């Protein structure tokens, strides 16, 4: 038998409600809960900020919550950029020479596809465009380039895609020990390794 809960409508002590996206806010098929827009607007009117937290970039989150950017917060790229009511309030950029080293490391290793997460777009090698349909799940703005090693853009996350589903093994074998003394390195399931600045 279910316990007898009573509704608590007192939101005075709540200022922020944050939710992860995949497997938390979103259903397995990627859909939002019903009436999510109404709920976010109602929270905003009550003085409570709803924050979508995700590894996705802000421009993708903005498309997932159309017309709501002035009514909520978006913590994108695993926390490397935070927007509140349409205003960028925090970002943690990776130095150009450092993410260029990350790209070269991935290319030398040969097992993953480098994806460079810029503030305005994701930069991916032209030879990896065959995975475009999957990439578009996360990155709504992609720039394909023949060579990423000379890229010079504002970047807040570097991530590696592993189409062979071996990211967990590669993370343990190489990336964790090679980079974790300088960067936040995380294994994001079987297909991704993410790298951000310390503290992100």
């Amino acid at each position: 038998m279910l316990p007898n809960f009573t509704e608590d409508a007192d939101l005075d002590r709540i200022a922020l409600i944050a939710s992860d996206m995949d497997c938390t806010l979103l259903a397995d098929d990627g859909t939002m809960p019903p009436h999510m827009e109404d709920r976010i607007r109602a929270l905003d009117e009550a003085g409570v900020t709803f924050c979508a937290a995700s590894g996705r970039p802000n421009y993708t989150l903005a498309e997932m919550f159309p017309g709501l950017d002035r009514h909520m917060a978006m913590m994108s790229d695993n926390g490397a950029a935070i927007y509140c009511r349409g205003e960028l309030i925090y970002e943690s950029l990776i130095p150009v020479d450092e993410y260029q080293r990350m790209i070269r490391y991935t290319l030398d290793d040969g097992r993953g596809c480098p994806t460079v997460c810029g503030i305005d777009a994701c930069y991916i090698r032209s030879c990896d465009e065959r995975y475009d349909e999957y990439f578009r799940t996360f990155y709504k703005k992609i720039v394909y380039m023949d060579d990423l090693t000379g890229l010079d853009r504002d970047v807040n996350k570097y991530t590696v895609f592993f189409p062979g589903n071996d990211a967990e093994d590669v993370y343990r074998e190489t990336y964790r020990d090679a980079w974790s003394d300088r960067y936040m390195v995380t294994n994001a399931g079987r297909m991704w390794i993410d790298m951000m600045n310390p503290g992100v």
Side-chain angles (χ1 to χ4, degrees):
M1 184 171 186
L2 292 174
N4 188 9
F5 291 110
T6 58
E7 181 180 355
D8 182 0
D10 180 13
L11 298 179
D12 288 345
R13 295 173 294 142
I14 300 173
L16 174 73
I17 297 173
S19 176
D20 184 39
M21 296 293 290
D22 294 313
C23 302
T24 305
L25 183 67
L26 301 179
D28 290 344
D29 64 0
T31 58
M32 290 271 187
H35 313 294
M36 196 62 205
E37 177 178 349
D38 295 338
R39 294 172 190 272
I40 291 171
R41 290 182 183 276
L43 286 169
D44 186 32
E45 289 176 11
V48 179
T49 301
F50 175 79
C51 178
S54 177
R56 292 172 169 87
N58 185 73
Y59 52 79
T60 297
L61 288 176
E63 284 195 21
M64 297 176 78
F65 296 92
L68 292 174
D69 61 322
R70 300 287 177 185
H71 301 278
M72 62 181 289
M74 298 178 189
M75 181 182 292
S76 60
D77 293 306
N78 296 351
I82 303 172
Y83 291 77
C84 187
R85 292 179 172 79
E87 179 185 351
L88 177 66
I89 61 170
Y90 173 81
E91 68 178 348
S92 181
L93 299 179
I94 300 173
V96 174
D97 60 333
E98 286 292 288
Y99 70 70
Q100 288 177 349
R101 286 181 57 234
M102 294 172 186
I103 294 167
R104 289 192 295 271
Y105 183 87
T106 299
L107 296 176
D108 290 344
D109 179 75
R111 290 178 283 185
C113 307
T115 62
V116 187
C117 304
I119 296 295
D120 298 319
C122 183
Y123 300 89
I124 301 175
R125 294 181 306 169
S126 299
C127 63
D128 295 323
E129 192 170 356
R130 61 189 182 275
Y131 306 115
D132 182 75
E133 183 177 354
Y134 182 69
F135 289 146
R136 297 276 175 190
T137 305
F138 308 99
Y139 307 110
K140 299 300 183 186
K141 298 178 182 177
I142 299 175
V143 176
Y144 287 103
M145 303 175 64
D146 291 337
D147 181 14
L148 293 177
T149 57
L151 186 67
D152 183 1
R153 298 287 191 276
D154 285 345
V155 167
N156 60 7
K157 184 175 82 168
Y158 175 74
T159 188
V160 187
F161 170 65
F162 292 86
N165 293 328
D166 55 350
E168 294 166 336
D169 293 336
V170 177
Y171 170 77
R172 286 190 300 269
E173 292 168 12
T174 57
Y175 280 80
R176 178 182 60 193
D177 294 337
W179 292 95
S180 60
D181 61 330
R182 289 160 289 166
Y183 289 93
M184 297 294 296
V185 184
T186 183
N187 173 216
R190 295 176 301 164
M191 302 180 79
W192 299 96
I193 294 175
D194 294 338
M195 301 171 66
M196 294 79 59
N197 281 327
V200 172

